[in-house]
Amino acid sequence: MDILLHIKESNEHAFEQAFRQWHEKVYAYHFAKTRDESFAEECTQLTFIKLWESRHLLNADLPLEVQLFRIAKTTLIDQLRARLRDNRRLQVIRNLSGQSQEQPQYEPDCSRRIAFALDSLPPTRKKVFMLNRVHGLTYKQIGEELSISDRTVEKHISLALKQLKKILNLVF
């Protein structure tokens, strides 16, 4: 019986066999795209985790290799997006706290302080701010999503920045 069908039936031995067979190639794919050993290893591990978690959704008509590399590609994209989101959040934190790009990492409880400051915003203002500064949506996209005007979005962002700066100056 095909290894794919065994994996679909939750056969751990078949999964281990697939892992041994494809680990190096999946890692090489991730490393070629990122040139970062630890990031490539993380993406590779996540790829195989997703393969196991979605084993019941595997298509018996497609080769395992094709499906595995689709998972690898989407995992890489997801992880790169997460890394970009994290970098944006860090940049927001740096901007709000007045840090420059060259300064060392912020103190360990900084994220707790940022969370406190964000939680102090009114709900709509916080949502608008997060959609723009963390998720990268444009004023127009936010306006459409929340059924408010672009000008209202701009006002929420402006007020949020003023409020956050004031709060962060008190706690930093």
Side-chain angles (χ1 to χ4, degrees):
M1 190 182 249
D2 184 45
I3 191 170
L4 174 72
L5 296 176
H6 286 298
I7 292 172
K8 278 183 68 89
E9 295 171 354
S10 301
N11 182 317
E12 292 178 16
H13 178 70
F15 176 76
E16 288 174 23
Q17 184 181 351
F19 180 83
R20 283 191 303 274
Q21 181 178 350
W22 294 104
H23 179 271
E24 284 184 38
K25 290 181 181 178
V26 172
Y27 173 82
Y29 167 79
H30 286 128
F31 184 75
K33 299 289 186 186
T34 65
R35 294 290 179 219
D36 181 331
E37 290 177 7
S38 63
F39 189 63
E41 187 59 40
E42 180 182 345
C43 289
T44 301
Q45 294 298 325
L46 287 171
T47 297
F48 283 98
I49 290 169
K50 289 179 181 182
L51 173 66
W52 182 253
E53 289 176 346
S54 63
R55 65 191 175 274
H56 302 294
L57 302 174
L58 294 173
N59 184 343
D61 297 330
L62 288 174
L64 177 59
E65 179 181 11
V66 170
Q67 295 179 78
L68 181 60
F69 277 91
R70 281 184 186 165
I71 294 170
K73 180 180 179 182
T74 58
T75 298
L76 179 62
I77 291 168
D78 291 346
Q79 291 305 109
L80 289 171
R81 284 181 180 154
R83 190 178 259 193
L84 180 61
R85 265 192 317 276
D86 291 345
N87 287 341
R88 283 185 186 152
R89 286 183 183 127
L90 181 57
Q91 187 58 45
V92 167
I93 291 168
R94 284 181 176 148
N95 289 344
L96 291 173
S97 66
Q99 289 183 343
S100 70
Q101 293 272 13
E102 294 78 30
Q103 286 185 317
Q105 287 288 339
Y106 53 94
E107 57 191 89
D109 65 340
C110 180
S111 57
R112 204 173 59 234
R113 291 176 179 175
I114 297 294
F116 169 80
L118 288 171
D119 286 341
S120 71
L121 295 174
T124 304
R125 192 173 301 163
K126 178 181 177 182
K127 183 170 187 140
V128 168
F129 181 83
M130 297 298 285
L131 288 171
N132 178 252
R133 298 301 170 108
V134 177
H135 299 289
L137 272 63
T138 65
Y139 289 4
K140 183 174 179 64
Q141 291 170 323
I142 296 167
E144 290 172 359
E145 184 171 322
L146 301 179
S147 300
I148 57 178
S149 73
D150 297 0
R151 181 75 178 123
T152 302
V153 171
E154 182 180 342
K155 187 68 174 172
H156 277 297
I157 298 292
S158 174
L159 292 172
L161 287 171
K162 286 179 186 175
Q163 187 176 350
L164 289 170
K165 285 178 185 176
K166 184 176 180 180
I167 292 168
L168 291 172
N169 283 334
L170 294 175
V171 295
F172 281 97

